PDB file of all heavy atoms in Angstrom:
ATOM      1  N   ASP W   6      64.803  12.388  18.464  1.00  0.00           N
ATOM      2  CA  ASP W   6      64.254  11.346  17.586  1.00  0.00           C
ATOM      3  C   ASP W   6      62.961  10.774  18.138  1.00  0.00           C
ATOM      4  O   ASP W   6      62.007  10.534  17.413  1.00  0.00           O
ATOM      5  CB  ASP W   6      65.267  10.214  17.416  1.00  0.00           C
ATOM      6  CG  ASP W   6      66.438  10.654  16.536  1.00  0.00           C
ATOM      7  OD1 ASP W   6      66.258  11.682  15.847  1.00  0.00           O
ATOM      8  OD2 ASP W   6      67.474   9.985  16.567  1.00  0.00           O
ATOM      9  N   ALA W  45      12.227   3.963  -4.650  1.00  0.00           N
ATOM     10  CA  ALA W  45      11.404   4.783  -5.540  1.00  0.00           C
ATOM     11  C   ALA W  45      11.179   4.083  -6.877  1.00  0.00           C
ATOM     12  O   ALA W  45      10.186   4.314  -7.555  1.00  0.00           O
ATOM     13  CB  ALA W  45      12.063   6.141  -5.758  1.00  0.00           C
ATOM     14  N   ALA W  46      12.123   3.200  -7.260  1.00  0.00           N
ATOM     15  CA  ALA W  46      12.038   2.523  -8.553  1.00  0.00           C
ATOM     16  C   ALA W  46      11.020   1.382  -8.565  1.00  0.00           C
ATOM     17  O   ALA W  46      10.633   0.913  -9.621  1.00  0.00           O
ATOM     18  CB  ALA W  46      13.403   1.985  -8.955  1.00  0.00           C
ATOM     19  N   CYS W  88      10.527 -25.872  -5.969  1.00  0.00           N
ATOM     20  CA  CYS W  88      11.891 -25.477  -6.334  1.00  0.00           C
ATOM     21  C   CYS W  88      11.992 -23.988  -6.640  1.00  0.00           C
ATOM     22  O   CYS W  88      13.066 -23.408  -6.578  1.00  0.00           O
ATOM     23  CB  CYS W  88      12.335 -26.268  -7.567  1.00  0.00           C
ATOM     24  SG  CYS W  88      11.368 -25.873  -9.042  1.00  0.00           S
ATOM     25  N   CYS W  93       9.958 -28.540 -10.771  1.00  0.00           N
ATOM     26  CA  CYS W  93       9.269 -29.612 -10.041  1.00  0.00           C
ATOM     27  C   CYS W  93       7.775 -29.705 -10.346  1.00  0.00           C
ATOM     28  O   CYS W  93       7.172 -30.750 -10.127  1.00  0.00           O
ATOM     29  CB  CYS W  93       9.472 -29.445  -8.533  1.00  0.00           C
ATOM     30  SG  CYS W  93       8.553 -28.069  -7.805  1.00  0.00           S
ATOM     31  N   ARG W 103      -4.619 -23.675 -19.981  1.00  0.00           N
ATOM     32  CA  ARG W 103      -3.306 -24.267 -20.255  1.00  0.00           C
ATOM     33  C   ARG W 103      -2.493 -24.340 -18.969  1.00  0.00           C
ATOM     34  O   ARG W 103      -2.543 -23.431 -18.137  1.00  0.00           O
ATOM     35  CB  ARG W 103      -2.549 -23.444 -21.292  1.00  0.00           C
ATOM     36  CG  ARG W 103      -3.243 -23.401 -22.651  1.00  0.00           C
ATOM     37  CD  ARG W 103      -2.548 -22.412 -23.582  1.00  0.00           C
ATOM     38  NE  ARG W 103      -1.180 -22.804 -23.846  1.00  0.00           N
ATOM     39  CZ  ARG W 103      -0.814 -23.597 -24.846  1.00  0.00           C
ATOM     40  NH1 ARG W 103      -1.727 -24.069 -25.677  1.00  0.00           N
ATOM     41  NH2 ARG W 103       0.449 -23.927 -25.027  1.00  0.00           N
ATOM     42  N   SER W 107       3.515 -21.536 -12.291  1.00  0.00           N
ATOM     43  CA  SER W 107       3.207 -20.188 -11.821  1.00  0.00           C
ATOM     44  C   SER W 107       4.377 -19.498 -11.137  1.00  0.00           C
ATOM     45  O   SER W 107       4.357 -18.280 -10.951  1.00  0.00           O
ATOM     46  CB  SER W 107       1.994 -20.211 -10.884  1.00  0.00           C
ATOM     47  OG  SER W 107       2.225 -21.035  -9.759  1.00  0.00           O
ATOM     48  N   ALA W 127     -12.908 -28.684  -7.770  1.00  0.00           N
ATOM     49  CA  ALA W 127     -14.110 -29.439  -7.377  1.00  0.00           C
ATOM     50  C   ALA W 127     -15.362 -28.608  -7.647  1.00  0.00           C
ATOM     51  O   ALA W 127     -15.312 -27.374  -7.739  1.00  0.00           O
ATOM     52  CB  ALA W 127     -14.034 -29.811  -5.905  1.00  0.00           C
ATOM     53  N   ASP W 143      -4.524 -44.267  -4.897  1.00  0.00           N
ATOM     54  CA  ASP W 143      -3.428 -43.885  -3.989  1.00  0.00           C
ATOM     55  C   ASP W 143      -2.333 -43.125  -4.741  1.00  0.00           C
ATOM     56  O   ASP W 143      -1.150 -43.440  -4.639  1.00  0.00           O
ATOM     57  CB  ASP W 143      -2.808 -45.110  -3.294  1.00  0.00           C
ATOM     58  CG  ASP W 143      -3.727 -45.678  -2.226  1.00  0.00           C
ATOM     59  OD1 ASP W 143      -4.516 -44.897  -1.666  1.00  0.00           O
ATOM     60  OD2 ASP W 143      -3.669 -46.889  -1.973  1.00  0.00           O
ATOM     61  N   GLY W 144      -2.751 -42.110  -5.470  1.00  0.00           N
ATOM     62  CA  GLY W 144      -1.802 -41.340  -6.273  1.00  0.00           C
ATOM     63  C   GLY W 144      -1.072 -40.269  -5.495  1.00  0.00           C
ATOM     64  O   GLY W 144      -0.551 -39.325  -6.090  1.00  0.00           O
ATOM     65  N   GLU W 164      -5.558 -32.112 -23.362  1.00  0.00           N
ATOM     66  CA  GLU W 164      -4.682 -32.004 -24.535  1.00  0.00           C
ATOM     67  C   GLU W 164      -4.683 -33.279 -25.380  1.00  0.00           C
ATOM     68  O   GLU W 164      -4.152 -33.295 -26.495  1.00  0.00           O
ATOM     69  CB  GLU W 164      -3.242 -31.715 -24.081  1.00  0.00           C
ATOM     70  CG  GLU W 164      -3.063 -30.354 -23.436  1.00  0.00           C
ATOM     71  CD  GLU W 164      -1.815 -30.264 -22.563  1.00  0.00           C
ATOM     72  OE1 GLU W 164      -1.021 -31.248 -22.539  1.00  0.00           O
ATOM     73  OE2 GLU W 164      -1.638 -29.231 -21.900  1.00  0.00           O
ATOM     74  N   SER W 169      -1.500 -43.776 -24.025  1.00  0.00           N
ATOM     75  CA  SER W 169      -0.849 -44.939 -23.408  1.00  0.00           C
ATOM     76  C   SER W 169      -0.173 -44.488 -22.123  1.00  0.00           C
ATOM     77  O   SER W 169       0.068 -43.289 -21.936  1.00  0.00           O
ATOM     78  CB  SER W 169       0.194 -45.527 -24.359  1.00  0.00           C
ATOM     79  OG  SER W 169       1.279 -44.617 -24.513  1.00  0.00           O
ATOM     80  N   PRO W 170       0.148 -45.430 -21.222  1.00  0.00           N
ATOM     81  CA  PRO W 170       0.882 -45.056 -20.008  1.00  0.00           C
ATOM     82  C   PRO W 170       2.190 -44.336 -20.336  1.00  0.00           C
ATOM     83  O   PRO W 170       2.578 -43.389 -19.645  1.00  0.00           O
ATOM     84  CB  PRO W 170       1.128 -46.395 -19.312  1.00  0.00           C
ATOM     85  CG  PRO W 170      -0.017 -47.248 -19.748  1.00  0.00           C
ATOM     86  CD  PRO W 170      -0.269 -46.850 -21.186  1.00  0.00           C
ATOM     87  N   ARG W 201     -14.068 -40.195 -19.542  1.00  0.00           N
ATOM     88  CA  ARG W 201     -14.574 -38.925 -20.107  1.00  0.00           C
ATOM     89  C   ARG W 201     -15.602 -39.175 -21.189  1.00  0.00           C
ATOM     90  O   ARG W 201     -15.492 -40.083 -21.966  1.00  0.00           O
ATOM     91  CB  ARG W 201     -13.417 -38.093 -20.688  1.00  0.00           C
ATOM     92  CG  ARG W 201     -12.533 -37.498 -19.607  1.00  0.00           C
ATOM     93  CD  ARG W 201     -11.416 -36.671 -20.205  1.00  0.00           C
ATOM     94  NE  ARG W 201     -11.895 -35.399 -20.730  1.00  0.00           N
ATOM     95  CZ  ARG W 201     -11.651 -34.951 -21.958  1.00  0.00           C
ATOM     96  NH1 ARG W 201     -10.931 -35.650 -22.791  1.00  0.00           N
ATOM     97  NH2 ARG W 201     -12.108 -33.791 -22.361  1.00  0.00           N
TER      98      ARG W 201
END
Side-chain angles (χ1 to χ4, degrees):
D6 288 343
C88 65
C93 72
R103 297 172 62 89
S107 59
D143 287 332
E164 293 159 5
S169 68
R201 288 181 74 232

